[in-house]
Amino acid sequence: MKKRHIAVAVALCISGSAAANDLDWSTGNWDLTNWQNGGNTDYLDTDGDLVLNIRDDDDDNDGYADNIDVFPLDPNDWEDSDSDGLGDNYELSVGLNPNDEDSDGDGIVDGEDPFPLTPEVLKTIRYAMPIDDIDNDGISDLAVIYEAEDGTVSASVYNKMSNELINSFNFPNTYKSFTAHVLDDVNNNGSQEIALFGVIDAPSSNAGQTSKLTVKDAKTSAITGTFKWPGNWYNPKYTQLADLTGDGIAEVAMQGAFYIDDRPQMLVRDGVSGELIRRYGFPSFMYNAEYVQLSDMNGDDTPEVGMIGILKRNNKIQVRVIDGSDDSNKLPSYNFGDDWADYQWLSLPDIDFDNINDVGLYGRRLSNSRIQLFTKSGADKAGTLGIYSWPEDLVEHKPLIVNDINFDGVKDFAVGGLRENANRYQFIIKDGTNRSETLANLGWPITLETPYFYEVNDIDGDGMLDFALAGFRLRDGRFEVAVKNLDNQKVNDFVTNIDWLEAPTVLPVPDINGDGLADIVVYGYDKLGTSVLEVLSN
C-alpha cells in the first residue's frame, strides 16, 4: 500500500537496569546490539511514549489502536475509506475525495496518480518551477503547473526527494493564454506564492475580456491576491516590479499596447492591496517598446521604471526613464546609436561599486560585427562604464548574467554561441568588473542540433558553478544536457529517457531530491503527445 506520508520513527536508546525493568525486557526477541544500531524495527518508539512499538497497542498515539488503524505509524491518519493508499485526512487536506479512489476519474488510483486532481490523459504540463521548501524538510520543492483539456489550470507541489505530493489546487477561470510565476511570501506564513497571469473572457467589459493575476499560497492553497487590468490592450504581459511603496512587497504590473493607437502603457498595482498606484504611458513613438525595472537614479530610495525601444524618427535605441515614486516625473533618458542588431536591454549588478545597480545594452554592433555589451551607470546616463566584447564569429549567440565565479561580489557576464571559425560551441565568461579579463572559456564539439546554454548551479559538488549545453544529438536524435565545470572538464552528459516530440524546456533547479547536488528538470511532449517531466541528477 503506497503512502504519501512519512512516519517518523524514533529509536529509543536507554541504558541502565531501571529503564530495562520499566520496559520489561525479560520477554520477547530482544537484541540489544540491533536495537542500539537501529537494525531491529521491533524496538522503535514511534510516538515517544517510552513504550516500544512491539508492546504498544497504539504506536502513533492517535487514539486508534493498531489493530484498527490502517496507518498505525502515522498520527495524522487512521482510515482509508476508498482503499486508494491515502489517508482520509490527507486527501481532505489536498483537495481529494476520501470516498473515491480515483478523484479525477482518469482510471488511475489516487495513491498512484502524480496528478490526482486532473485526469491523467487530459493534462498538459505548462510550467515547472522550483519553489522554496514548503514542507520543512530542508529541501527545495518543485511546483508544476498544468492545463486540462477543459481549460482548468492546476498547480501541484512535489517533494521530489520522496516523490510525494505536498499540495495541489486549481485556479479559478479558464484562460485564453497564461503565464505562471513564483512570487514572494505576501501573507507571512513562510511559504512562497504561485501566481497565474492571463487573459480571461469578460462579456460585461467593453473589450469582452480582461487580464487577471490570481495569487495562491503554495502551502495552504488560499487566494492571497486577485488583480485585474483592462482587456483592451494588445499583447498584455505580466511584469513584476520592485517594491515601490516601501512595504517590503514587490509590486505587480501589466504592460502592453493600447488597442486604439498602440500607446505603450503599464499599470502598476500594490502587491498586497491591489490598489492602482502607478500609471506609465507614452505616445507610440517607438518600435518594440517595453517597460523595464531600473535602479534608484534620483536618490529617493525608490527604483525607477524605464521604457526601451527603437525611435521611429531615427532608428536609434533609447531608454526613457520615469520616476518610480511619481509616474508624471520624467527623468533624463539613455541614448544609444542606430548600429545595433539583435539588441537586448540588461539590468546589471553594481559594477562600479557606487551601491546602485547599473544597466547595459547587448547585441551585435553593425559597425564592427562584434558582440558587445555597452554598460552605463545606473546613476548617470552620460558616458560608459566599459564596453565588453566577444568574438565577431559567434553566431546564434545568447547573453547570460551568471553568478559570481571569482568571488569579488559582482555577477559576471557571459555569451554562448557557435564559433564559426573554430567550428565549436563556446561559452565565454568575462569578469563583471573588468571587461578585459576572461574568467572561463568552455567549449563543446558540434554534436547537438540548435542547442542552448544554461547555468546549472553546482552539479558535481565541487562548490563551483557548472554550465550546460542542451539539444538533440545529431547521431541519434536523443536529447542531451552536456555539463562542464569552469575548468572546461566534462561533469556529465545527461541523456534523457524520453523520446521527445520537440525540444523540451530545460529548468536548472537547486537540490530537489535530497542528494546535496543541484538538479535539472526537463519537461515537454513525447512523440505520443503525452506531457512528461523528468528530473536529471548527477
Side-chain angles (χ1 to χ4, degrees), residues 54-128:
I54 194 173
R55 298 190 177 281
D56 194 339
D57 293 333
D58 184 6
D59 291 348
D60 54 15
N61 199 31
D62 59 3
Y64 292 83
D66 293 343
N67 62 346
I68 62 171
D69 191 340
V70 179
F71 305 104
L73 299 182
D74 186 347
N76 299 309
D77 262 309
W78 44 87
E79 288 184 300
D80 181 10
S81 298
D82 54 9
S83 301
D84 62 357
L86 303 178
D88 289 0
N89 292 332
Y90 171 76
E91 292 204 65
L92 289 170
S93 72
V94 298
L96 300 176
N97 185 349
N99 296 307
D100 186 347
E101 67 174 9
D102 182 12
S103 296
D104 57 11
D106 63 359
I108 302 175
V109 173
D110 290 342
E112 303 294 333
D113 190 346
F115 301 95
L117 283 179
T118 300
E120 187 75 9
V121 297
L122 301 179
K123 69 171 177 60
T124 297
I125 297 172
R126 296 301 187 194
Y127 295 91

Side-chain angles (χ1 to χ4, degrees), residues 105 128 168 283 298 319 366 393 420 429 446 485 497 515 522 525:
S168 187
N298 60 0
V319 181
L366 300 178
D393 66 330
E420 289 187 316
I429 307 174
I446 302 179
N485 62 23
N497 297 318
D515 64 359
V522 292
Y525 291 98

Side-chain angles (χ1 to χ4, degrees), residues 455-461 464-466 494 507-513 515-521 535-538:
E455 176 187 318
V456 292
N457 302 311
D458 181 16
I459 295 291
D460 57 0
M464 300 292 290
L465 291 174
D466 298 313
F494 296 101
L507 177 69
V509 296
D511 175 29
I512 60 174
N513 64 358
D515 64 359
L517 303 175
D519 301 307
I520 301 171
V521 172
V535 178
L536 308 177
S537 299
N538 199 26

Side-chain angles (χ1 to χ4, degrees), residues 283-487:
S284 179
F285 57 78
M286 283 184 174
Y287 299 115
N288 305 322
E290 181 180 8
Y291 287 93
V292 293
Q293 180 73 76
L294 302 176
S295 301
D296 174 25
M297 297 179 176
N298 60 0
D300 65 356
D301 295 326
T302 301
E304 322 306 351
V305 170
M307 186 184 74
I308 183 172
I310 300 175
L311 293 171
K312 293 181 179 180
R313 69 174 186 270
N314 58 15
N315 287 324
K316 291 185 177 182
I317 297 173
Q318 186 179 77
V319 181
R320 290 290 180 99
V321 182
I322 316 100
D323 191 337
S325 300
D326 180 0
D327 53 21
S328 65
N329 183 22
K330 306 299 190 291
L331 302 178
S333 300
Y334 287 88
N335 292 286
F336 299 88
D338 59 358
D339 64 336
W340 291 84
D342 303 323
Y343 74 87
Q344 184 175 340
W345 178 258
L346 298 179
S347 296
L348 305 180
D350 175 20
I351 65 175
D352 58 355
F353 300 102
D354 63 354
N355 295 318
I356 297 177
N357 287 343
D358 301 307
V359 296
L361 189 71
Y362 168 86
R364 184 181 295 278
R365 297 297 293 272
L366 300 178
S367 57
N368 58 18
S369 296
R370 293 184 70 84
I371 307 297
Q372 292 190 331
L373 172 63
F374 194 98
T375 64
K376 283 182 174 284
S377 168
D380 185 359
K381 67 183 182 64
T384 177
L385 298 178
I387 301 175
Y388 292 74
S389 295
W390 287 266
E392 61 266 21
D393 66 330
L394 269 173
V395 297
E396 302 170 10
H397 55 93
K398 174 186 176 183
L400 279 178
I401 299 175
V402 303
N403 284 302
D404 178 23
I405 66 173
N406 62 344
F407 305 105
D408 64 355
V410 178
K411 291 184 177 182
D412 301 307
F413 308 142
V415 172
L418 173 63
R419 288 291 302 274
E420 289 187 316
N421 294 341
N423 202 33
R424 290 176 63 82
Y425 288 106
Q426 282 192 281
F427 189 75
I428 304 170
I429 307 174
K430 289 183 174 286
D431 188 339
T433 61
N434 183 357
R435 65 183 184 274
S436 63
E437 183 176 356
T438 297
L439 300 178
N441 192 336
L442 313 182
W444 289 263
I446 302 179
T447 58
L448 302 178
E449 181 181 3
T450 58
Y452 286 87
F453 294 89
Y454 300 90
E455 176 187 318
V456 292
N457 302 311
D458 181 16
I459 295 291
D460 57 0
D462 65 355
M464 300 292 290
L465 291 174
D466 298 313
F467 297 88
L469 187 71
F472 287 109
R473 293 197 305 202
L474 294 173
R475 70 174 185 267
D476 59 10
R478 301 293 300 279
F479 192 80
E480 178 179 284
V481 182
V483 181
K484 285 196 168 188
N485 62 23
L486 290 171
D487 294 324

Side-chain angles (χ1 to χ4, degrees), residues 213-233:
L213 177 74
T214 301
V215 185
K216 283 198 166 191
D217 187 284
K219 181 183 293 185
T220 67
S221 309
I223 292 179
T224 58
T226 300
F227 309 85
K228 290 184 178 181
W229 291 268
N232 51 358
W233 293 22

